Amino acid sequence: MSIDFLKRLSWFGAFLLAQVLVLGHIHLFHYATPLLYVYFVTQFPRNHAKWAILLWSFMMGLLVDTFFNTPGVAAASLTLIGAIQPYYFELFVPRDSAEDLMPSLRNISPTKYAYYIVPLVSLYCMLFFSLEMFTFFNWLQWLLCVVSSALVTLLLIFTFEVAKK
């Protein structure tokens, strides 16, 4: 086994445990739920195997679905983010950059990182809550859940990135 696989597996477990034991039980104002596990999928390096990203994404989503009784919601949403991530990250790195460049505030500029992470998290929250509610009858509640969860998740991600520096 490679060191990279073991590191990724430990991060996988840490994000899963954090979500299941702590973050999944936080519902600020009954709308905002931090969904920090999406950060795991956004941190795959450049030129990482696309099938591996999809597999990691699907497994994370499947385990989150198992613990929170949301059949297929997190798995479908996270797998789509995993499918988009490698192609989307290529938009923010120069062609002559390192093959194993990781997306972070340190490696790409803070502005580029914000342009990278905000749409991915927002798309994830839109998909997640659209599949979870499966109706637009109460669109205001859907919008509040999407916006507030995305903001809380982004706040946690940027805090994590700054602390990592």
Side-chain angles (χ1 to χ4, degrees):
M1 276 197 219
S2 71
I3 297 297
D4 181 52
F5 177 77
L6 292 175
K7 277 185 184 175
R8 194 155 314 278
L9 188 62
S10 64
W11 279 113
F12 182 90
F15 281 115
L16 184 65
L17 284 174
Q19 187 68 36
V20 168
L21 297 177
V22 179
L23 299 174
H25 301 289
I26 297 172
H27 305 290
L28 300 172
F29 310 110
H30 300 287
Y31 294 109
T33 303
L35 305 169
L36 187 61
Y37 56 91
V38 73
Y39 178 68
F40 174 78
V41 176
T42 64
Q43 294 305 298
F44 282 100
R46 181 179 182 201
N47 292 336
H48 194 77
K50 291 168 183 54
W51 65 267
I53 297 172
L54 288 174
L55 188 61
W56 282 108
S57 303
F58 178 73
M59 289 309 297
M60 175 68 85
L62 187 66
L63 288 172
V64 168
D65 284 336
T66 302
F67 284 107
F68 288 109
N69 197 22
T70 55
V73 173
S77 304
L78 213 54
T79 303
L80 180 69
I81 297 302
I84 293 170
Q85 187 269 343
Y87 303 106
Y88 190 62
F89 182 53
E90 283 293 322
L91 298 174
F92 299 99
V93 295
R95 287 182 189 250
D96 60 344
S97 61
E99 293 294 318
D100 59 346
L101 182 70
M102 295 280 291
S104 70
L105 280 173
R106 200 168 14 111
N107 293 340
I108 58 177
S109 70
T111 306
K112 283 184 179 180
Y113 187 74
Y115 284 139
Y116 166 71
I117 200 75
V118 170
L120 285 177
V121 170
S122 300
L123 178 64
Y124 177 77
C125 289
M126 279 195 321
L127 256 63
F128 182 84
F129 287 108
S130 295
L131 291 173
E132 185 183 49
M133 290 182 181
F134 208 65
T135 182
F136 288 109
F137 182 71
N138 195 354
W139 64 271
L140 187 59
Q141 181 184 3
W142 173 82
L143 186 65
L144 283 170
C145 287
V146 167
V147 171
S148 61
S149 293
L151 288 175
V152 169
T153 303
L154 287 167
L155 179 69
L156 283 174
I157 287 173
F158 281 112
T159 304
F160 197 78
E161 277 292 318
V162 169
K164 204 167 72 167
K165 231 177 181 182

